[in-house]
Amino acid sequence: MDLKSLVRDIPDFPKPGILFRDITTLLRDPEGLRYTIDFLTQKCNEAGITADYVIGIESRGFIFGSPLAYKLGVGFIPVRKKGKLPAAVHSIEYELEYGTDCLEVHQDALHQGSRVLIVDDLIATGGTASATAKLMQKIGCEIVGFGFIIELRDLQARTYLPDVPIISLIEY
């Protein structure tokens, strides 16, 4: 299946000069969505990724991470923006183009030595994925891979991630 044909390009969003890759058109297509989850699962298996948990990055990482965890037979853990989780959290601040942001995960969600696969819909500059990896390492987790639906290769985000398998289904 040609997944690229299911992704809509929206020029000048969220600001002039940016070409936004919109996955809502992929999500509304039942066959495309099923294929995406099945293909991501296949790629993880082919890469030999064995995880205890899939870590989904807020918010679109939840969309793909939950069914992937189901297909892999592992747990799912959400990583959220600051202030969204109700119990005690581990947190990490990271740099954005203009300022900082913060990611959090429940303190009781993971234990030292947990093997984690980090998933999001898209990797561009790698800032959020890298921060999530650092948060997992801070807890003492072992990062066994990353999974993305879309990768913007020209931005070279892979250089900011740990040396583990990185799966992307669509590349621009």
mmCIF file of all heavy atoms in Angstrom, residues 27-54:
data_model
loop_
_atom_site.group_PDB
_atom_site.id
_atom_site.type_symbol
_atom_site.label_atom_id
_atom_site.label_comp_id
_atom_site.label_asym_id
_atom_site.label_seq_id
_atom_site.Cartn_x
_atom_site.Cartn_y
_atom_site.Cartn_z
ATOM 1 N N LEU A 27 -5.577 8.307 8.998
ATOM 2 C CA LEU A 27 -6.354 7.747 10.105
ATOM 3 C C LEU A 27 -7.795 7.442 9.724
ATOM 4 O O LEU A 27 -8.382 6.486 10.230
ATOM 5 C CB LEU A 27 -6.339 8.705 11.302
ATOM 6 C CG LEU A 27 -4.985 8.914 11.975
ATOM 7 C CD1 LEU A 27 -5.078 10.024 13.011
ATOM 8 C CD2 LEU A 27 -4.474 7.627 12.592
ATOM 9 N N ARG A 28 -8.376 8.234 8.833
ATOM 10 C CA ARG A 28 -9.780 8.019 8.471
ATOM 11 C C ARG A 28 -9.964 6.855 7.503
ATOM 12 O O ARG A 28 -11.082 6.395 7.287
ATOM 13 C CB ARG A 28 -10.384 9.292 7.893
ATOM 14 C CG ARG A 28 -9.979 9.559 6.466
ATOM 15 C CD ARG A 28 -10.685 10.749 5.877
ATOM 16 N NE ARG A 28 -10.212 10.959 4.514
ATOM 17 C CZ ARG A 28 -10.238 12.105 3.898
ATOM 18 N NH1 ARG A 28 -10.712 13.174 4.506
ATOM 19 N NH2 ARG A 28 -9.790 12.211 2.674
ATOM 20 N N ASP A 29 -8.872 6.374 6.933
ATOM 21 C CA ASP A 29 -8.927 5.289 5.969
ATOM 22 C C ASP A 29 -8.749 3.951 6.700
ATOM 23 O O ASP A 29 -7.648 3.649 7.162
ATOM 24 C CB ASP A 29 -7.823 5.479 4.918
ATOM 25 C CG ASP A 29 -7.891 4.461 3.817
ATOM 26 O OD1 ASP A 29 -7.594 3.268 4.077
ATOM 27 O OD2 ASP A 29 -8.222 4.841 2.681
ATOM 28 N N PRO A 30 -9.810 3.141 6.842
ATOM 29 C CA PRO A 30 -9.705 1.911 7.633
ATOM 30 C C PRO A 30 -8.606 0.968 7.158
ATOM 31 O O PRO A 30 -7.859 0.424 7.971
ATOM 32 C CB PRO A 30 -11.083 1.259 7.485
ATOM 33 C CG PRO A 30 -11.997 2.324 7.030
ATOM 34 C CD PRO A 30 -11.150 3.330 6.295
ATOM 35 N N GLU A 31 -8.488 0.787 5.850
ATOM 36 C CA GLU A 31 -7.450 -0.097 5.326
ATOM 37 C C GLU A 31 -6.062 0.494 5.554
ATOM 38 O O GLU A 31 -5.120 -0.227 5.882
ATOM 39 C CB GLU A 31 -7.674 -0.360 3.843
ATOM 40 C CG GLU A 31 -8.864 -1.247 3.565
ATOM 41 C CD GLU A 31 -9.062 -1.474 2.070
ATOM 42 O OE1 GLU A 31 -8.057 -1.492 1.329
ATOM 43 O OE2 GLU A 31 -10.215 -1.632 1.664
ATOM 44 N N GLY A 32 -5.940 1.794 5.370
ATOM 45 C CA GLY A 32 -4.656 2.459 5.579
ATOM 46 C C GLY A 32 -4.205 2.398 7.027
ATOM 47 O O GLY A 32 -3.034 2.147 7.316
ATOM 48 N N LEU A 33 -5.136 2.623 7.934
ATOM 49 C CA LEU A 33 -4.806 2.561 9.355
ATOM 50 C C LEU A 33 -4.399 1.144 9.750
ATOM 51 O O LEU A 33 -3.388 0.940 10.427
ATOM 52 C CB LEU A 33 -5.982 3.047 10.198
ATOM 53 C CG LEU A 33 -5.781 3.010 11.707
ATOM 54 C CD1 LEU A 33 -4.572 3.825 12.139
ATOM 55 C CD2 LEU A 33 -7.038 3.498 12.416
ATOM 56 N N ARG A 34 -5.162 0.166 9.324
ATOM 57 C CA ARG A 34 -4.846 -1.235 9.633
ATOM 58 C C ARG A 34 -3.478 -1.610 9.063
ATOM 59 O O ARG A 34 -2.652 -2.213 9.732
ATOM 60 C CB ARG A 34 -5.928 -2.163 9.083
ATOM 61 C CG ARG A 34 -5.714 -3.627 9.449
ATOM 62 C CD ARG A 34 -6.808 -4.548 8.928
ATOM 63 N NE ARG A 34 -8.139 -4.127 9.353
ATOM 64 C CZ ARG A 34 -9.061 -3.580 8.554
ATOM 65 N NH1 ARG A 34 -8.802 -3.395 7.278
ATOM 66 N NH2 ARG A 34 -10.232 -3.223 9.025
ATOM 67 N N TYR A 35 -3.245 -1.224 7.815
ATOM 68 C CA TYR A 35 -1.963 -1.512 7.166
ATOM 69 C C TYR A 35 -0.807 -0.850 7.924
ATOM 70 O O TYR A 35 0.247 -1.460 8.121
ATOM 71 C CB TYR A 35 -1.982 -1.047 5.701
ATOM 72 C CG TYR A 35 -0.676 -1.280 4.997
ATOM 73 C CD1 TYR A 35 -0.396 -2.516 4.435
ATOM 74 C CD2 TYR A 35 0.289 -0.278 4.905
ATOM 75 C CE1 TYR A 35 0.823 -2.751 3.794
ATOM 76 C CE2 TYR A 35 1.493 -0.494 4.270
ATOM 77 C CZ TYR A 35 1.757 -1.732 3.719
ATOM 78 O OH TYR A 35 2.956 -1.963 3.096
ATOM 79 N N THR A 36 -1.012 0.388 8.353
ATOM 80 C CA THR A 36 0.042 1.110 9.079
ATOM 81 C C THR A 36 0.437 0.375 10.352
ATOM 82 O O THR A 36 1.628 0.175 10.617
ATOM 83 C CB THR A 36 -0.435 2.543 9.412
ATOM 84 O OG1 THR A 36 -0.707 3.233 8.181
ATOM 85 C CG2 THR A 36 0.611 3.312 10.193
ATOM 86 N N ILE A 37 -0.542 -0.032 11.135
ATOM 87 C CA ILE A 37 -0.249 -0.743 12.391
ATOM 88 C C ILE A 37 0.388 -2.098 12.104
ATOM 89 O O ILE A 37 1.383 -2.489 12.735
ATOM 90 C CB ILE A 37 -1.522 -0.893 13.253
ATOM 91 C CG1 ILE A 37 -2.081 0.483 13.641
ATOM 92 C CG2 ILE A 37 -1.252 -1.747 14.487
ATOM 93 C CD1 ILE A 37 -1.120 1.378 14.389
ATOM 94 N N ASP A 38 -0.154 -2.817 11.135
ATOM 95 C CA ASP A 38 0.408 -4.128 10.795
ATOM 96 C C ASP A 38 1.833 -4.006 10.258
ATOM 97 O O ASP A 38 2.711 -4.809 10.611
ATOM 98 C CB ASP A 38 -0.476 -4.847 9.766
ATOM 99 C CG ASP A 38 -1.801 -5.311 10.340
ATOM 100 O OD1 ASP A 38 -1.953 -5.347 11.586
ATOM 101 O OD2 ASP A 38 -2.704 -5.635 9.543
ATOM 102 N N PHE A 39 2.078 -3.005 9.427
ATOM 103 C CA PHE A 39 3.407 -2.807 8.831
ATOM 104 C C PHE A 39 4.417 -2.385 9.903
ATOM 105 O O PHE A 39 5.549 -2.867 9.921
ATOM 106 C CB PHE A 39 3.312 -1.774 7.705
ATOM 107 C CG PHE A 39 4.530 -1.681 6.834
ATOM 108 C CD1 PHE A 39 5.277 -2.790 6.490
ATOM 109 C CD2 PHE A 39 4.925 -0.449 6.334
ATOM 110 C CE1 PHE A 39 6.405 -2.686 5.669
ATOM 111 C CE2 PHE A 39 6.036 -0.324 5.520
ATOM 112 C CZ PHE A 39 6.791 -1.447 5.178
ATOM 113 N N LEU A 40 4.001 -1.504 10.809
ATOM 114 C CA LEU A 40 4.885 -1.089 11.899
ATOM 115 C C LEU A 40 5.224 -2.288 12.784
ATOM 116 O O LEU A 40 6.387 -2.472 13.175
ATOM 117 C CB LEU A 40 4.234 0.030 12.708
ATOM 118 C CG LEU A 40 5.080 0.710 13.773
ATOM 119 C CD1 LEU A 40 6.379 1.268 13.199
ATOM 120 C CD2 LEU A 40 4.286 1.822 14.452
ATOM 121 N N THR A 41 4.244 -3.118 13.069
ATOM 122 C CA THR A 41 4.478 -4.336 13.855
ATOM 123 C C THR A 41 5.465 -5.245 13.137
ATOM 124 O O THR A 41 6.422 -5.758 13.747
ATOM 125 C CB THR A 41 3.143 -5.083 14.087
ATOM 126 O OG1 THR A 41 2.225 -4.210 14.734
ATOM 127 C CG2 THR A 41 3.360 -6.328 14.929
ATOM 128 N N GLN A 42 5.257 -5.444 11.852
ATOM 129 C CA GLN A 42 6.152 -6.287 11.051
ATOM 130 C C GLN A 42 7.579 -5.756 11.092
ATOM 131 O O GLN A 42 8.535 -6.523 11.273
ATOM 132 C CB GLN A 42 5.643 -6.338 9.605
ATOM 133 C CG GLN A 42 6.554 -7.078 8.638
ATOM 134 C CD GLN A 42 6.116 -6.921 7.193
ATOM 135 O OE1 GLN A 42 4.936 -6.759 6.903
ATOM 136 N NE2 GLN A 42 7.067 -6.958 6.286
ATOM 137 N N LYS A 43 7.738 -4.451 10.906
ATOM 138 C CA LYS A 43 9.076 -3.845 10.905
ATOM 139 C C LYS A 43 9.758 -4.006 12.269
ATOM 140 O O LYS A 43 10.969 -4.242 12.343
ATOM 141 C CB LYS A 43 9.002 -2.367 10.523
ATOM 142 C CG LYS A 43 8.659 -2.132 9.078
ATOM 143 C CD LYS A 43 9.796 -2.585 8.202
ATOM 144 C CE LYS A 43 9.669 -2.065 6.802
ATOM 145 N NZ LYS A 43 10.760 -2.543 5.958
ATOM 146 N N CYS A 44 9.003 -3.879 13.345
ATOM 147 C CA CYS A 44 9.567 -4.082 14.690
ATOM 148 C C CYS A 44 10.034 -5.517 14.859
ATOM 149 O O CYS A 44 11.133 -5.771 15.380
ATOM 150 C CB CYS A 44 8.541 -3.735 15.764
ATOM 151 S SG CYS A 44 8.219 -1.972 15.920
ATOM 152 N N ASN A 45 9.221 -6.453 14.409
ATOM 153 C CA ASN A 45 9.599 -7.865 14.500
ATOM 154 C C ASN A 45 10.819 -8.173 13.643
ATOM 155 O O ASN A 45 11.732 -8.872 14.088
ATOM 156 C CB ASN A 45 8.418 -8.763 14.113
ATOM 157 C CG ASN A 45 7.326 -8.754 15.161
ATOM 158 O OD1 ASN A 45 7.575 -8.585 16.352
ATOM 159 N ND2 ASN A 45 6.088 -8.937 14.729
ATOM 160 N N GLU A 46 10.857 -7.635 12.428
ATOM 161 C CA GLU A 46 12.002 -7.851 11.537
ATOM 162 C C GLU A 46 13.285 -7.268 12.122
ATOM 163 O O GLU A 46 14.370 -7.810 11.904
ATOM 164 C CB GLU A 46 11.734 -7.243 10.160
ATOM 165 C CG GLU A 46 10.729 -8.003 9.342
ATOM 166 C CD GLU A 46 10.353 -7.288 8.052
ATOM 167 O OE1 GLU A 46 10.814 -6.141 7.824
ATOM 168 O OE2 GLU A 46 9.583 -7.871 7.263
ATOM 169 N N ALA A 47 13.169 -6.165 12.858
ATOM 170 C CA ALA A 47 14.340 -5.524 13.469
ATOM 171 C C ALA A 47 14.773 -6.236 14.752
ATOM 172 O O ALA A 47 15.774 -5.858 15.363
ATOM 173 C CB ALA A 47 14.045 -4.049 13.754
ATOM 174 N N GLY A 48 13.993 -7.225 15.172
ATOM 175 C CA GLY A 48 14.331 -7.963 16.388
ATOM 176 C C GLY A 48 14.072 -7.182 17.660
ATOM 177 O O GLY A 48 14.678 -7.455 18.700
ATOM 178 N N ILE A 49 13.183 -6.217 17.589
ATOM 179 C CA ILE A 49 12.875 -5.392 18.763
ATOM 180 C C ILE A 49 11.979 -6.185 19.712
ATOM 181 O O ILE A 49 10.896 -6.608 19.334
ATOM 182 C CB ILE A 49 12.193 -4.077 18.348
ATOM 183 C CG1 ILE A 49 13.165 -3.225 17.534
ATOM 184 C CG2 ILE A 49 11.672 -3.322 19.562
ATOM 185 C CD1 ILE A 49 12.544 -1.991 16.911
ATOM 186 N N THR A 50 12.466 -6.370 20.920
ATOM 187 C CA THR A 50 11.648 -6.998 21.965
ATOM 188 C C THR A 50 11.580 -6.034 23.132
ATOM 189 O O THR A 50 12.589 -5.718 23.746
ATOM 190 C CB THR A 50 12.223 -8.356 22.418
ATOM 191 O OG1 THR A 50 13.575 -8.172 22.837
ATOM 192 C CG2 THR A 50 12.186 -9.372 21.284
ATOM 193 N N ALA A 51 10.396 -5.556 23.384
ATOM 194 C CA ALA A 51 10.178 -4.538 24.416
ATOM 195 C C ALA A 51 9.260 -5.083 25.498
ATOM 196 O O ALA A 51 8.518 -6.037 25.279
ATOM 197 C CB ALA A 51 9.559 -3.291 23.785
ATOM 198 N N ASP A 52 9.325 -4.460 26.657
ATOM 199 C CA ASP A 52 8.346 -4.703 27.716
ATOM 200 C C ASP A 52 7.181 -3.728 27.579
ATOM 201 O O ASP A 52 6.056 -4.040 27.960
ATOM 202 C CB ASP A 52 8.987 -4.509 29.097
ATOM 203 C CG ASP A 52 10.166 -5.442 29.335
ATOM 204 O OD1 ASP A 52 10.026 -6.646 29.046
ATOM 205 O OD2 ASP A 52 11.218 -4.954 29.793
ATOM 206 N N TYR A 53 7.493 -2.534 27.034
ATOM 207 C CA TYR A 53 6.505 -1.469 26.918
ATOM 208 C C TYR A 53 6.727 -0.675 25.642
ATOM 209 O O TYR A 53 7.861 -0.454 25.223
ATOM 210 C CB TYR A 53 6.590 -0.481 28.090
ATOM 211 C CG TYR A 53 6.411 -1.119 29.428
ATOM 212 C CD1 TYR A 53 7.506 -1.426 30.228
ATOM 213 C CD2 TYR A 53 5.137 -1.432 29.903
ATOM 214 C CE1 TYR A 53 7.345 -2.025 31.470
ATOM 215 C CE2 TYR A 53 4.966 -2.042 31.138
ATOM 216 C CZ TYR A 53 6.074 -2.334 31.905
ATOM 217 O OH TYR A 53 5.906 -2.930 33.123
ATOM 218 N N VAL A 54 5.623 -0.213 25.070
ATOM 219 C CA VAL A 54 5.665 0.812 24.029
ATOM 220 C C VAL A 54 5.410 2.134 24.738
ATOM 221 O O VAL A 54 4.450 2.269 25.500
ATOM 222 C CB VAL A 54 4.615 0.564 22.931
ATOM 223 C CG1 VAL A 54 4.511 1.774 22.006
ATOM 224 C CG2 VAL A 54 4.944 -0.686 22.140
#
